[in-house]
Amino acid sequence: MSNQSLRTPAKTAVEQCLNLQEGESFVVVTDEKRQAIGEALYGVANEITDETTIVRYPVGDQHGEEPPEPVAAAMTGADVVLAPTTKSLSHTTARQEATDAGARAATLPGITDGVFLMGLDADYEAIRDECAAIYDQVADADEIRVTSPQGTDITLEVSDRDWREDTGIVHEPGAFSNLPAGEVFVSPTSGDGTVVVDGTMMPHGELTDGQTVRFEVEDGYVTEIGDEEISDQIETAAGEVGDAAYNLAELGIGTNTAVTELVGSVLLDEKAGGTVHLAIGDNHAIGGDIEAPLHLDGILREPTVFADGSQISLPDAGV
């Protein structure tokens, strides 16, 4: 796909979502598999500011893996960072240090040309309103329960952890978002119950024809998972960091009503309005205290969510 065809979503990302201004320093972080998107973002940004840089590094082995030090340094030194990469930089110290230093940043983990075109063709002001509506229903809750017809029934303790809104509007110093955007999320302190993923979960992509991934959670850690490939990923990470790899890392609620079908991309599918995703592994960059070299999201198509016992109103899923 040509850079010209990617120009419209690139303009949305650079201008509407990140609000890049003349004189600001801008860094695109990418790799060889996402270079076309990286170059499209660079091209748009270079028309706005002369301080534009593109940094490319080899594809990592795992989502949440730290980038090379020169890449991290480039991120920390920039006013604005966009990171279309194969493996996610969202839950990394490099990203967190960049935003702590005042950078406005958005990551696009696993982005494809198709997802870039579809996911950035959205009204991000409307998505911000959907996020606010969910946030108002959950922000003061101590306990969240999620159920689904497929068999999910898990209760999560939130305690003093802050809920965060991923609106796609990244205009303030230190602000951060995924793109495509649209979720309200929290890093729970604990949880107990059963999760049955029926939407999307890597490495499988979209689950179809009744396929599901089931895992059990006790005291905030995954104790059993009914999928060999995913279990192998977690066990490999556990060889480096121990039980942290089994941490129940995140609960997220999708708010992007422009996403009307799952496509097998976690980046896009977890944003679909009315879905819920739960993640395993790292949460230190989203309000938790666990560092692990993976962050695996599993998406539920038909969740019901209760905040302190009261059912909350979710956006229409349509997926």
Side-chain angles (χ1 to χ4, degrees):
M1 187 172 291
S2 70
N3 281 5
Q4 189 59 38
S5 64
L6 299 173
R7 179 175 171 81
T8 297
K11 282 178 67 67
T12 299
V14 171
E15 297 178 359
Q16 181 184 13
C17 295
L18 274 298
N19 194 33
L20 180 66
Q21 300 295 306
E22 182 179 359
E24 290 189 306
S25 56
F26 178 86
V27 171
V28 180
V29 178
T30 192
D31 56 53
E32 57 266 31
K33 291 187 177 181
R34 314 298 169 193
Q35 188 166 345
I37 294 172
E39 290 177 350
L41 293 167
Y42 175 88
V44 170
N46 197 45
E47 296 172 0
I48 299 171
T49 178
D50 292 335
E51 297 186 45
T52 300
T53 303
I54 185 167
V55 180
R56 191 182 76 175
Y57 72 103
V59 175
D61 294 324
Q62 182 62 267
H63 294 294
E65 183 180 3
E66 295 296 328
E69 180 55 37
V71 175
M75 294 169 65
T76 302
D79 294 316
V80 178
V81 177
L82 273 168
T85 54
T86 303
K87 300 300 183 180
S88 177
L89 293 179
S90 303
H91 307 280
T92 61
T93 298
R95 194 283 299 166
Q96 187 171 24
E97 288 182 348
T99 50
D100 286 348
R104 311 194 297 278
T107 55
L108 299 84
I111 191 77
T112 64
D113 291 357
V115 170
F116 190 58
L117 288 166
M118 177 167 46
L120 272 295
D121 184 18
D123 180 353
Y124 279 94
E125 299 295 339
I127 289 170
R128 180 164 58 182
D129 291 343
E130 292 285 1
C131 286
I134 293 295
Y135 181 86
D136 288 345
Q137 296 178 79
V138 300
D140 295 328
D142 294 317
E143 182 180 277
I144 302 291
R145 182 185 176 203
V146 181
T147 65
S148 77
Q150 291 74 27
T152 295
D153 193 343
I154 185 167
T155 299
L156 307 167
E157 301 297 327
V158 177
S159 299
D160 60 350
R161 296 278 172 85
D162 291 331
W163 287 85
R164 303 186 180 194
E165 299 175 77
D166 180 34
T167 66
I169 303 295
V170 192
H171 293 182
E172 300 298 325
F176 168 70
S177 180
N178 269 160
L179 289 177
E183 65 172 292
V184 176
F185 61 96
V186 71
S187 177
T189 57
S190 190
D192 292 277
T194 300
V195 177
V196 181
V197 177
D198 66 315
T200 297
M201 191 166 190
M202 301 308 291
H204 303 298
E206 183 186 2
L207 305 177
T208 59
D209 301 324
Q211 181 185 10
T212 60
V213 174
R214 182 186 186 98
F215 55 93
E216 303 293 332
V217 179
E218 294 181 15
D219 295 328
Y221 288 87
V222 174
T223 58
E224 179 183 343
I225 189 159
D227 184 278
E228 185 174 354
E229 290 183 77
I230 296 172
S231 179
D232 287 346
Q233 286 188 66
I234 299 173
E235 287 179 10
T236 298
E240 299 180 33
V241 297
D243 288 346
Y246 295 91
N247 176 53
L248 185 67
E250 178 189 7
L251 164 68
I253 301 171
T255 59
N256 189 331
T257 54
V259 181
T260 58
E261 60 180 327
L262 302 188
V263 299
S265 163
V266 169
L267 173 64
L268 185 66
D269 294 355
E270 71 176 5
K271 309 305 191 313
T275 61
V276 157
H277 56 278
L278 294 118
I280 303 167
D282 187 275
N283 65 8
H284 83 282
I286 57 170
D289 53 14
I290 297 294
E291 295 192 42
L294 81 169
H295 182 90
L296 300 175
D297 292 283
I299 296 156
L300 282 58
R301 298 175 189 263
E302 302 178 274
T304 301
V305 181
F306 302 87
D308 286 342
S310 297
Q311 183 175 341
I312 74 169
S313 177
L314 298 175
D316 292 333
V319 297

